[in-house]
Amino acid sequence: MKTTSILFAFMTAVFLTASCGRENGTGYEPVDYVNPYIGSISHMLVPTYPTVYLPNSMMRIFPVRTDFTGNRLNGLPLIVTRHRSASALNFMPYTHSGGEPFALPPDMSLGYDREKTAPYRYSVYLDEMDVEVDYAPSHQSAVYGLTFPPDVVPCLIFGSRRGELNVDGNTVSGFQPVGGETKVYFHAETDVAPAQTPVAAGDTLMLTYPEGTTRLGLRYGVSFISVEQAKKNLEREIAGYDIEAVASAGRRIWNAALEKISIEGGADNDKAVFYTSLYRVYERPVMLSEDGRYYSGFDHKVHDDEGRPFYTDDWIWDTYRAAHPLRLLIDGKAESDIIRSYVLMAGQSEHGWMPTFPGVSGDSRGMNSNHGVAMVADALAKGLQGFDTEKAYEACRASIEERSLIPWSNNIPAGELDDFYKAKGYFPALKPGEKETVRGVHSWEKRQPIAVTLGTSYDHWCLSHLAQALGKSEEATRFLRSSYNFRNVFNHATGFFHPKDRDGNFIPDIDYRISGGPGARDYYDENNGYVYRWDVQHNIADLITLNGGNEAFVDALEEMYNTPYGMSRWEFYNTLPDHTGNVGMFSMANEPSLHIPYLYNYAGQPWRTQKRIRNLLEQWFRNDLMGVPGDEDGGGMSAFVVFSQMGFYPVTPGSPTYNIGSPVFSHVRMDLGNGACFEIEAPNASADNRYIQFATLNGTPWNKPWFSHDDIKAGGKLTLVMGDKPNRAWGAAEPPPSAEKIAE
């Protein structure tokens, strides 16, 4: 029997104050800078959501409406089970005038005003019913406070969407299906007993309370195991209906998490962007352990967690780039537990494949490639332990070699297109006018042959490193060789990665700005050829060679930023709606672009990286409702902002190195755990002073635009002397490392 639950240990760890934090002298705490409404109005597709939750906790909610500008709330949420998805188990306060028959209202929506959101608290005024709502979450439970006018009959309407609801006195419980065999359960209690028999209709019921009740408390627990476990989760976390107590505890937990990185200098808006971005990184994955057990959507069973928390809900295609590397630095224990969870998922699944989009109901296999291997390779390269590396390697290898490379294909084994890739070293495009005949190719997502070829080349490089670390030298050599497959689709005549047909011919008449149909998916994916021109994260040195050397490489980067739409904006975005946040043909709005501004470091002109990073942060990440340029994807893009504002970035997950950019703040302190602290000092950094003049690392003069994980893992200090004009010589001589060379 466990004497201490995983959840208690989790809460205790989060409550610990960062060992190398520093008072900011303003009276503000980090959570005060978080603005959940940043990005709530989308530039084109999906906005961010003002989500209320504790770090990496199962309990999450956000307002139930079409978007931030929606005029009505479609009820109040009890839990959001997947990032960015509709809430499950909604309820709705309702007022009834006495003397009339009790019936469900015809309009199940709410007019509202005066909405306020903090990470740990939510409140809103339901103006048409004159009801005040207050809410605070814990990890697997939450509490609502509802204030009604004195002359009405208060009502609560619960909906379970094809689920089940039960009432017993002042208790409501039930479940809702959330995908496949997975269900989310809840147990709710009110501090006032209902006055009448519930009114029920299908999966909706209405409870009425004594007329004149002006204050009604609702507390509830949630579970993926059972109603009984939901009740236990509630009783473990919330004793009464005191919203202030729950919110105060949540505030302390948030400050402890955000204080893992303390900052000084910069404007208040810079701090708001920084801490809001860091808050979003903590949304996912969510910890599912409930009193030492967890439900897995991969085999639909309840497992013993063996004393370590189990996590899910992650879009690794988005988050491997920066969110996982950031977590590895500030919470290596959690990152180790997360990777261990994904290895367990692979073992619980039918084929043993590493998940790519793990969720509460299993793996959805979104996007292209199998970048779970990058997450594992990065952890191994940086010395993270606590998971079975042999099982992780085998799950990653199988997910790349035995699972189909076809985008958005879930449990499809490798087939004819995969055989072609293994034989020819590239994923073939359809010829103009050729009909798709391969089973499993999604009618909308298409083949995405360049995205698949480049992404798989990188995955093979990551596999080669895993194999080498495990002593599998023959496999390591084979995967290193296939990591150069990106060369097979490079068009030397144009300098772009160019789709090829089955016969080895380049597809004719390609416009790298717009070709490929909706989202350019016939050839690329969500982004155009200009963005995918740089999608070789593991081997920038070879990419520079392909482009003709440093000067030609820099010229090509500059060309991208200077290339106009060549058509009306509506025509461009009608085809490429994900490709927002444009600077020329560069898109700040999508994850394959995140490493691109740092590539000047590899070509002898780090000052251009410094300039570009600061410009992009100022242009596209702001403390306002449109302050995120595209789909944020639950930490994927936000981690880029956190890293870039601090002044460095992991261009190549799997390589224990970081590129230096341009710090926004004069002082950054990152708690690495166990008392170790990494600091970045740039005392004269400002909006004007964005160029590095001179640097030291751990007291030694530093003339490289990168540093290694070993340089900082035990703590250290990077000092950057900044100025308002570039020092073109600094960092120009020694570029960051790239992939190992292969024998020609």
Side-chain angles (χ1 to χ4, degrees), residues 58 81 113 199 262 335 414 416 428-429 443 468 520 524 622 642 644:
M58 183 191 299
T81 59
D113 197 11
V199 175
S262 63
E335 182 66 9
E416 61 180 281
S443 61
Q468 192 65 49
Y524 303 99
R622 307 179 308 274
V642 172
S644 294

Side-chain angles (χ1 to χ4, degrees), residues 299-350:
D299 62 3
H300 312 295
K301 295 179 181 179
V302 176
H303 299 263
D304 188 313
D305 66 17
E306 301 177 347
R308 294 179 65 182
F310 182 85
Y311 290 84
T312 193
D313 192 28
D314 192 6
W315 297 350
I316 302 176
W317 188 89
D318 304 281
T319 58
Y320 85 87
R321 305 166 195 269
H324 282 277
L326 179 62
R327 188 183 302 106
L328 189 150
L329 283 170
I330 63 176
D331 196 346
K333 173 64 168 61
E335 182 66 9
S336 176
D337 289 336
I338 289 165
I339 296 174
R340 172 183 174 271
S341 299
Y342 297 173
V343 175
L344 288 174
M345 292 174 194
Q348 294 160 0
S349 64
E350 177 184 3

Side-chain angles (χ1 to χ4, degrees), residues 247-418:
S248 294
R251 179 181 174 87
R252 291 193 297 273
I253 290 169
W254 265 115
N255 275 321
L258 297 174
E259 283 171 355
K260 294 286 287 185
I261 307 177
S262 63
I263 54 176
E264 297 177 28
D268 282 351
N269 281 335
D270 297 326
K271 295 184 175 74
V273 170
F274 181 84
Y275 279 121
T276 302
S277 298
L278 185 55
Y279 135 87
R280 290 209 172 98
V281 174
Y282 277 109
E283 187 207 338
R284 301 189 304 161
V286 297
M287 197 271 281
L288 286 194
S289 289
E290 306 177 48
D291 289 335
R293 299 186 301 157
Y294 67 90
Y295 168 84
S296 172
F298 285 74
D299 62 3
H300 312 295
K301 295 179 181 179
V302 176
H303 299 263
D304 188 313
D305 66 17
E306 301 177 347
R308 294 179 65 182
F310 182 85
Y311 290 84
T312 193
D313 192 28
D314 192 6
W315 297 350
I316 302 176
W317 188 89
D318 304 281
T319 58
Y320 85 87
R321 305 166 195 269
H324 282 277
L326 179 62
R327 188 183 302 106
L328 189 150
L329 283 170
I330 63 176
D331 196 346
K333 173 64 168 61
E335 182 66 9
S336 176
D337 289 336
I338 289 165
I339 296 174
R340 172 183 174 271
S341 299
Y342 297 173
V343 175
L344 288 174
M345 292 174 194
Q348 294 160 0
S349 64
E350 177 184 3
H351 299 286
W353 297 331
M354 179 66 75
T356 54
F357 276 49
V360 295
S361 56
D363 188 19
S364 62
R365 177 63 191 278
M367 302 303 291
N368 53 65
S369 307
N370 293 275
H371 292 321
V373 65
M375 171 189 69
V376 176
D378 196 53
L380 196 63
K382 294 170 182 174
L384 192 68
Q385 299 178 345
F387 58 93
D388 190 317
T389 52
E390 185 72 45
K391 288 183 178 179
Y393 169 76
E394 184 54 33
C396 291
R397 185 205 60 75
S399 70
I400 296 171
E401 290 204 307
E402 299 172 11
R403 186 185 206 174
S404 179
L405 297 174
I406 296 172
W408 292 83
S409 59
N410 197 5
N411 290 319
I412 300 177
E416 61 180 281
L417 291 180
D418 305 276

